[in-house]
Amino acid sequence: MAEIIRSIRGMNDILPDVTPYWQAVESALKKVLTSYGYQEIRFPIVEKTELFCRSIGEVTDIVEKEMYTFADRNGDNLTLRPEGTAGCVRAAMQNGMLNQTQRLWYMGPMFRHERPQKGRYRQFHQVGVEAYGFNGPDIDAEMILMTARLWKTLGLKGASLQINSLGSTEARLAYRDVLVAYFEMHQDELDEDSQRRLHTNPLRILDSKNPAMQALNDAAPKLIDHLDDESRQEFAILCQILDQAGLVYEINPRLVRGLDYYGKTVFEWVTDQLGSQGTICAGGRYDGLVAQLGGKGATAIGFAIGLERLISLLEATDSLPETDAVDVYLVAVGEAAASQSLLLAEQLRDQLPDLKLITHCGGGSFKNQFKRADRSGARWTFILGDDEINKKVVGVKTMVTGEQETIAWNAIADYLQQ
Ligand code: ATP
Ligand code: MG
């Protein structure tokens, strides 16, 4: 026998026992985003590699080692999207959407060649949100308040908000020198990753997840103390709005984000309930990106939610959403009943469009069919045999009480509605 072909490591099947939770979470998120006036955009999963190199940055983890890159048949160098911001900006630019403000969201799979572990996969899913043409800090506050509302709507507990400002490009460059000088003084305490980043992407050292780097990072000079006036003022307004809205947050000076395009406001929602993969939502302002990609400058801010982590956190805190149960399982005993059950089911669906009804299909003994009905979790089991067909009735068993009754076909809809 041939060996079965298995999926690619880190790329998971999402099976029917959990898809109802995914659907419920996705539709709750969509509803909130729509209510704030954000519109859905869909763009390809594959883009030119250059788009990601130029936007995310050559010396980021993603571009250095995580991208799925391949040659197209015609020789083009393509990449499976590792995140959505670059493609979203590309689509908005290409379609002339940036001469007015935009509030956008998207949802779908992202691909990164990381070491698979809990909360870290090679295909994972994000809901991403981007706004273009707003200067902030009001839109920054809107986005953060909106994430808080997303959690409230989902009943999500256990996530806390961290914010920081990365300042203007100039302020960041000046701070970079201060930071490099500090780390150079402590060069022998840097781990391998940090050694490598010292002159390529020193800010990223602050984002290290290595506990051995913690003390050194904590004592490092803070970017928030080196901000330009404009960034400092905007950050103060943002904090003020969040305070007035009663949103609890922590200013985390080490929050620098891994992608090159961020400046000014950055934020993350983190939890301690998922081990080391604790960031469920991350984002910030990236005013420079459009110009960097050759467009006419447009301010921008966005965030992305990792859906696997979000759903894990809901599960860990016993807050998975309620999912729709089956209303009726229709058992049909005998050949005549098998076809009649389908017709009866169609009639009921016409009458009750929201009814969740499963017809048995495939025959089998009454006992076996009944077992399936039980397993389906249906509230009622309907039973149709020759006798019921002759009388144009159906046997109805209410599963929790065990109560049984007989109901005429034309009275079923009324019965179910009560
Ligand atoms: P991390 O620091 O955990 O690697 P990141 O900074 O690379 O995250 P972003 O690029 O900001 O992550 O992506 C936004 C969100 O997408 C993350 O906060 C996380 O919830 C989720 N995410 C990122 N990478 C993965 C992955 N490989 N598997 C599952 N979820 C992920
Ligand atoms: Mg990462």
Side-chain angles (χ1 to χ4, degrees):
M1 217 166 57
E3 207 178 308
I4 65 159
I5 298 170
R6 303 190 62 87
S7 65
I8 296 162
R9 209 160 92 85
M11 302 203 180
N12 301 316
D13 303 311
I14 302 173
L15 298 177
D17 59 335
V18 294
T19 48
Y21 300 119
W22 281 76
Q23 290 170 352
V25 166
E26 287 166 359
S27 70
L29 296 176
K30 274 185 207 175
K31 211 167 150 188
V32 174
L33 297 172
T34 305
S35 77
Y36 279 71
Y38 286 73
Q39 297 176 294
E40 185 181 13
I41 180 168
R42 302 187 186 196
F43 45 85
I45 285 172
V46 183
E47 300 272 0
K48 290 187 182 148
T49 302
E50 196 193 346
L51 174 68
F52 301 114
C53 297
R54 266 173 62 190
S55 53
I56 298 167
E58 296 283 355
V59 283
T60 55
D61 282 355
I62 293 180
V63 172
E64 274 182 344
K65 52 188 188 198
E66 296 174 358
M67 294 205 302
Y68 280 92
T69 295
F70 59 98
D72 196 2
R73 286 177 189 279
N74 58 13
D76 286 345
N77 198 305
L78 305 182
T79 292
L80 298 184
R81 63 183 187 192
E83 53 100 59
T85 300
C88 191
V89 168
R90 199 258 325 125
M93 267 170 47
Q94 184 175 334
N95 294 288
M97 295 165 67
L98 294 182
N99 38 29
Q100 60 189 69
T101 58
Q102 300 285 347
R103 286 180 163 94
L104 304 170
W105 67 267
Y106 49 85
M107 184 185 292
M110 307 293 162
F111 303 85
R112 295 186 196 176
H113 198 277
E114 303 202 65
R115 192 170 67 77
Q117 53 197 291
K118 187 176 174 345
R120 198 174 284 291
Y121 310 103
R122 291 182 172 174
Q123 174 172 332
F124 62 100
H125 298 78
Q126 287 184 340
V127 167
V129 178
E130 319 284 351
Y132 302 132
F134 300 94
N135 291 325
D138 49 359
I139 191 85
D140 306 16
E142 172 180 284
M143 282 217 172
I144 293 173
L145 292 171
M146 186 166 73
T147 54
R149 186 167 302 280
L150 292 173
W151 314 150
K152 194 165 144 188
T153 306
L154 287 169
L156 184 89
K157 297 177 289 256
S160 60
L161 174 63
Q162 302 194 342
I163 61 174
N164 192 23
S165 175
L166 301 182
S168 66
T169 311
E170 299 74 37
R172 217 158 41 253
L173 280 174
Y175 167 74
R176 193 187 143 116
D177 293 340
V178 176
L179 191 66
V180 169
Y182 167 80
F183 283 129
E184 275 176 340
M185 274 179 355
H186 300 274
Q187 195 136 10
D188 46 340
E189 296 163 58
L190 296 177
D191 65 7
E192 205 185 302
D193 265 348
S194 306
Q195 293 277 3
R196 192 167 47 83
R197 290 187 177 127
L198 182 54
H199 294 285
T200 54
N201 196 351
L203 266 65
R204 264 296 257 174
I205 298 176
L206 298 172
D207 193 35
S208 167
K209 284 167 184 113
N210 180 359
M213 289 290 300
Q214 177 98 24
L216 189 62
N217 276 335
D218 282 343
K222 296 179 171 48
L223 176 48
I224 197 116
D225 299 328
H226 293 78
L227 291 185
D228 51 294
D229 287 343
E230 188 181 82
S231 298
R232 201 195 331 272
Q233 272 161 23
E234 287 182 15
F235 192 62
I237 297 172
L238 171 66
C239 292
Q240 191 186 17
I241 300 173
L242 299 182
D243 288 335
Q244 285 169 346
L247 196 59
V248 179
Y249 59 88
E250 182 198 332
I251 296 174
N252 176 359
R254 288 194 293 112
L255 184 66
V256 291
R257 311 285 302 113
L259 296 75
D260 268 5
Y261 49 58
Y262 288 109
K264 292 190 174 170
T265 304
V266 289
F267 65 97
E268 285 192 1
W269 285 91
V270 296
T271 176
D272 54 11
Q273 311 230 12
L274 298 176
S276 49
Q277 305 340 311
T279 304
I280 57 162
C281 171
R285 182 159 276 287
Y286 54 95
D287 293 339
L289 183 57
V290 176
Q292 200 176 308
L293 288 175
K296 230 174 46 197
T299 53
I301 177 170
F303 66 85
I305 301 169
L307 287 178
E308 281 80 359
R309 293 185 196 175
L310 177 65
I311 290 168
S312 292
L313 180 57
L314 286 169
E315 194 182 359
T317 54
D318 269 327
S319 317
L320 282 175
E322 299 249 341
T323 56
D324 287 345
V326 176
D327 297 311
V328 175
Y329 193 99
L330 181 47
V331 163
V333 191
E335 238 167 76
S339 38
Q340 184 58 46
S341 71
L342 292 175
L343 303 179
L344 180 62
E346 288 306 312
Q347 187 190 315
L348 292 173
R349 289 178 179 124
D350 281 340
Q351 291 170 317
L352 304 170
D354 291 331
L355 185 68
K356 194 161 166 190
L357 179 156
I358 299 176
T359 54
H360 173 73
C361 289
S365 69
F366 175 76
K367 197 170 146 216
N368 272 334
Q369 293 196 34
F370 205 81
K371 247 192 233 157
R372 294 269 194 98
D374 206 25
R375 242 185 288 149
S376 76
R379 191 158 161 211
W380 294 283
T381 299
F382 282 11
I383 299 141
L384 198 66
D386 290 339
D387 201 30
E388 284 82 7
I389 292 177
N390 286 335
K391 294 182 186 144
K392 292 197 172 10
V393 296
V394 64
V396 174
K397 179 166 179 178
T398 305
M399 300 303 269
V400 278
T401 60
E403 190 188 340
Q404 298 197 41
E405 50 205 308
T406 304
I407 295 174
W409 289 352
N410 59 15
I412 297 174
D414 278 347
Y415 173 86
L416 291 177
Q417 264 170 329
Q418 286 157 20

